[in-house]
Amino acid sequence: MSISILALDWAFVIEKMVLIAIVISVSLIVAMYATYAERKVAGVMQDRHGPNRAGPFGILQPLADGLKLFFKEEVIPNNSSKWLFILGPCLAMLTAMMTSAIIPWGGTVEIGGRMIDLQIADINIGILYVFGVVSMGVYGIMIGGWASNNKFSLMAALRGASQAISYELAMGLSLIALLMLTGSLSLKTIVEQQINSNWWNIVYQPLGFFIFFVCALAECNRAPFDLPEAESELNMGYHQEYSSMKLGFYLFAEYINMFISCTIIATLFFGGYDMPFVDESKLSGVTALLTGVAALFGKTFILIFVFMWIRWTLPRFRYDQLMNLGWKGLIPLALFNMVLTAAIALYTMK
Amino acid sequence: MQSLTQRAKSVDRSPLSWLEKIYVWNIFKGMLITFGHIFKKKATIQYPEQTRPFSPVFRGLHVLNRDEEGRERCTACGLCAVACPAEAITMEAAERLPGEEKLYREEKYAARYEINMLRCIFCGLCEEACPKDAIYLSETFAPANFSRKSFIYGKPDLLIPDPVTKPEEFKEAKGLIEKKKKSKS
Amino acid sequence: MLFWFLTVLALGSALMVVFSKNPVHSILWLIITFFAITGHYILLNAQFLAIVNIIVYAGAIMVLFLFVVMMMNLNEISSPLKNKWLKFAGVISGCSLLLVLIAALKDTDTMQQEVLLNTGKIGLINNLGTVLFSDYVLPFEISSVLFLSAMVGAVVIGKK
């Protein structure tokens, strides 16, 4: 084993390390400003201004919030199991960060004779990896909720877990229809197919996109599916007993999740780093790369806005409505979509 | 039941149509409404920089008035204290000594004049009662404070700035009173 | 090296599943066991199996386990095994299961085969799908029918 470590391609390792650092810091910054954007969007939709005191237009607000959370008193309840109490937010943050590993942030560029891919890992199972990590994300909520030794937190944790499991099914089924068209699980391949064909996947899979989008809302615990943190009936939900930066981790993980899931939706259905109406092959290497990254981020931010827009429009579902929608609404719809796609794919292939 | 007013709207209890049952269309309509609100005028008043205009009949903190030469008008007759339903006003009278004619208009003046702003209900009866036009309610309200004692406003807090020594501030305070008078008549 | 680390992790956490007093803790140890096994799959280059192991076992089934345990609120106080004979029977049945497993696996040819470390292609999704739907189509379909009947049974019980 030691020989193989020495034989590693060190330039490759350094490249990936730099990429990981960039991706993580970018997603942290985006999550930070997503909190700001959320409050701004909420403000303008309710005929208010939103935060505008810290710095010009309030752009220092997330820093002020973070600072406040850091300086708050750390409270760990007496009767909680301490290790699990700390493990909860760590898991939430970890799983939120891990998903970004397989997203292709841009095309390939040649720097100093090396082909540099703007993707941390192009693995064979691609999108399934996201599913695996997302299903792990439930543990952050469950462990945190249980370890708090508070019945409201526990209720919220159970709600979060059942919600995540129920909507993961419909999400997977809607994705299967998409994968029938692409024939590959790798996100990179999916994006390249969309660049080379005339249309993005949303044209072929509008119903699949709709189901996937609704399920993504539920998986991110966003309104109208924010039952795990229903303020009105569960006080605060699973992070009721948390304070200081541990609470901050939970909130932060939520926004990172939102960012990553918007990126994944953009990648799967909206052509990823494909800038519309621009032929990338005519541009030079670095310019093409930058337009690609800009395109992906533009699409992601539009989707994040839609997420927030929905949050500040719709009231929360009741628990039985949530389960009915998941099991009796979305799953049959996704199955129907799957069968329909399979039939059409078979028919056109002939 | 027969409705007494014409304002009552009966709730539509008819079963949902297919389009309403799948919710998506209604959700979309709701989202259009919230999107429209982005472009509406903001209702916020940026408080420390902007303030809300007071209503013309607003009654705020009291002001003890002076005449044109800067002499206090109050003669400590005690009518305001009698008129006050909350018993917020107390005063102590004193006789004007020779040489103090520049300070006080009448021979008797208020040596001590206190209004307890925690008791005061800002009804304006003192203003009505005053025969000398000495007390007015202005367009400000009592700022927050840490102790109850500091809400007992004495003469230094209440007196209008001297028109001779501080003409601008007097003008400003006077302007508020004039506006008030105009709205009354 | 990685193999031994994962093996020790898997065995150690599996033992902790049995020995921890709190049921929630044993479930968490079980999740770690699943992760170690997933690591083994990745070492065999069976990426699809690895991720399915995470999604299905660690992600869904264990969440349901945790769900049930949390709902029933089992704590350290309730230890159902008071009967000495019951413990004894448990140990004997566990040991006999181990014996059967060892006896069954001792002579299989997989023990003699070289493990295809990092080079095997069977775990990749294309090959796996092809094999499942050509060579092993009958067992695959039979197991799917089994699952279907289990689902129907669950619905029937749930309707009662």
Side-chain angles (χ1 to χ4, degrees), chain C residues 60-127:
Chain C
I61 294 183
M62 291 323 290
V63 168
L64 289 180
F65 271 39
L66 206 57
F67 202 95
V68 171
V69 170
M70 284 178 179
M71 280 290 254
M72 304 214 297
N73 208 9
L74 299 171
N75 283 326
E76 286 123 271
I77 321 141
S78 59
S79 60
L81 283 181
K82 281 285 187 291
N83 196 336
K84 212 178 260 177
W85 289 106
L86 216 60
K87 275 186 194 172
F88 197 61
V91 168
I92 285 187
S93 56
C95 285
S96 48
L97 179 66
L98 186 69
L99 216 68
V100 169
L101 279 178
I102 289 173
L105 289 176
K106 197 182 63 178
D107 296 331
T108 47
D109 50 351
T110 47
M111 291 295 275
Q112 276 87 38
Q113 259 182 14
E114 278 284 303
V115 177
L116 301 167
L117 208 62
N118 283 333
T119 49
K121 285 273 181 284
I122 190 66
L124 296 184
I125 184 161
N126 278 340
N127 310 336

Side-chain angles (χ1 to χ4, degrees), chain A residues 43 127 155 225 241:
Chain A
I127 188 70
M155 287 301 292
F225 303 103
E241 299 286 344

Side-chain angles (χ1 to χ4, degrees), chain A residues 121-136:
Chain A
D122 185 14
I123 46 179
N124 187 293
I125 43 176
I127 188 70
L128 281 183
Y129 168 84
V130 176
F131 272 74
V133 175
V134 165
S135 62
M136 287 296 98

Side-chain angles (χ1 to χ4, degrees), chain A residues 1 5 81 84 87 123-125 128-133 135-136 138-139 142-143 145-146 154-155 157-159 161-162 165 168 183 185 319, chain C residues 1-2 22 24-25 28 31 35 43 47-48 51-52 54-55 57-64 66-68 70-71 73-75 124-126:
Chain A
M1 213 55 173
I5 286 176
S81 50
L84 292 183
L87 185 67
I123 46 179
N124 187 293
I125 43 176
L128 281 183
Y129 168 84
V130 176
F131 272 74
V133 175
S135 62
M136 287 296 98
V138 186
Y139 286 116
M142 282 199 93
I143 291 175
W146 183 77
L154 181 64
M155 287 301 292
L158 294 180
R159 278 181 175 194
S162 50
I165 291 178
E168 223 163 76
L185 284 171
Y319 188 66
Chain C
M1 195 179 73
L2 210 56
N22 193 326
V24 172
H25 290 173
L28 295 178
I31 294 166
F35 266 96
L43 282 186
Q47 296 177 3
F48 181 69
I51 206 70
V52 165
I54 284 192
I55 295 175
Y57 282 95
I61 294 183
M62 291 323 290
V63 168
L64 289 180
L66 206 57
F67 202 95
V68 171
M70 284 178 179
M71 280 290 254
N73 208 9
L74 299 171
N75 283 326
L124 296 184
I125 184 161
N126 278 340

Side-chain angles (χ1 to χ4, degrees), chain A residues 19 72 81 98 109 128 140 142 148 160 170 181-182 192 194 208 242-243 249 309-310 314 317 332:
Chain A
L19 201 58
K72 283 242 163 176
S81 50
M98 270 168 70
V109 73
L128 281 183
M142 282 199 93
S148 305
L181 296 179
T182 61
E192 270 159 9
Q194 292 181 72
Y242 282 91
S243 60
F249 267 20
W309 182 11
I310 288 174
L314 299 181
F317 275 102

Side-chain angles (χ1 to χ4, degrees), chain A residues 7-310:
Chain A
L8 274 178
D9 183 0
W10 281 105
F12 177 77
V13 172
I14 291 170
E15 175 202 319
K16 291 299 177 194
M17 284 293 177
V18 170
L19 201 58
I20 289 170
I22 291 174
V23 166
I24 285 187
S25 41
V26 164
S27 45
L28 281 177
I29 290 170
V30 169
M32 246 168 77
Y33 276 93
T35 62
Y36 167 72
E38 174 104 81
R39 293 170 62 183
K40 267 290 189 208
V41 168
V44 294
M45 284 190 176
Q46 297 163 358
D47 299 347
R48 297 183 285 116
H49 287 279
N52 63 351
R53 292 281 150 175
F57 302 107
I59 54 168
L60 298 179
Q61 187 70 38
L63 289 178
D65 287 343
L67 215 62
K68 185 201 90 172
L69 279 174
F70 265 115
F71 286 119
K72 283 242 163 176
E73 189 189 352
E74 187 89 56
V75 180
I76 296 181
N78 267 339
N79 280 333
S80 64
S81 50
K82 194 174 168 216
W83 280 108
L84 292 183
F85 192 77
I86 296 171
L87 185 67
C90 297
L91 265 182
M93 199 72 179
L94 180 76
T95 49
M97 295 294 226
M98 270 168 70
T99 334
S100 57
I102 57 145
I103 293 170
W105 298 97
T108 317
V109 73
E110 194 178 327
I111 298 174
R114 286 185 57 85
M115 296 303 281
I116 295 194
D117 229 345
L118 278 193
Q119 184 182 18
I120 294 173
D122 185 14
I123 46 179
N124 187 293
I125 43 176
I127 188 70
L128 281 183
Y129 168 84
V130 176
F131 272 74
V133 175
V134 165
S135 62
M136 287 296 98
V138 186
Y139 286 116
I141 294 180
M142 282 199 93
I143 291 175
W146 183 77
S148 305
N149 200 12
N150 174 324
K151 57 181 86 160
F152 289 113
S153 305
L154 181 64
M155 287 301 292
L158 294 180
R159 278 181 175 194
S162 50
Q163 172 183 333
I165 291 178
S166 316
Y167 279 80
E168 223 163 76
L169 282 176
M171 200 178 197
L173 286 174
S174 71
L175 201 65
I176 286 175
L178 179 72
L179 296 179
M180 279 176 189
L181 296 179
T182 61
S184 167
L185 284 171
S186 157
L187 286 175
K188 184 100 183 165
T189 322
I190 292 176
V191 171
E192 270 159 9
Q193 278 174 356
Q194 292 181 72
I195 291 177
N196 295 331
S197 79
N198 292 325
W199 302 102
W200 291 340
N201 278 336
I202 183 161
V203 180
Y204 303 116
Q205 280 291 320
L207 191 59
F209 163 72
F210 176 72
I211 298 166
F212 194 88
F213 187 78
V214 174
C215 295
L217 279 178
E219 291 285 320
C220 294
N221 293 333
R222 295 283 303 178
F225 303 103
D226 56 346
L227 285 115
E229 46 192 297
E231 301 94 341
S232 44
E233 65 247 41
L234 291 174
N235 297 351
M236 263 288 270
Y238 57 92
H239 44 52
Q240 189 191 4
E241 299 286 344
Y242 282 91
S243 60
S244 184
M245 208 50 210
K246 288 212 273 301
L247 173 68
F249 267 20
Y250 268 129
L251 302 180
F252 227 70
E254 206 169 285
Y255 281 97
I256 296 176
N257 273 336
M258 185 168 81
F259 170 56
I260 298 293
S261 59
C262 284
T263 323
I264 287 171
I265 292 174
T267 308
L268 286 177
F269 292 99
F270 292 97
Y273 50 86
D274 173 27
M275 180 70 94
F277 313 118
V278 174
D279 191 3
E280 275 89 353
S281 54
K282 283 181 192 156
L283 298 168
S284 71
V286 178
T287 327
L289 186 83
L290 288 180
T291 45
V293 174
L296 179 61
F297 272 87
K299 290 167 192 169
T300 308
F301 290 151
I302 291 173
L303 281 169
I304 288 180
F305 172 73
V306 174
F307 265 50
M308 292 173 176
W309 182 11
I310 288 174

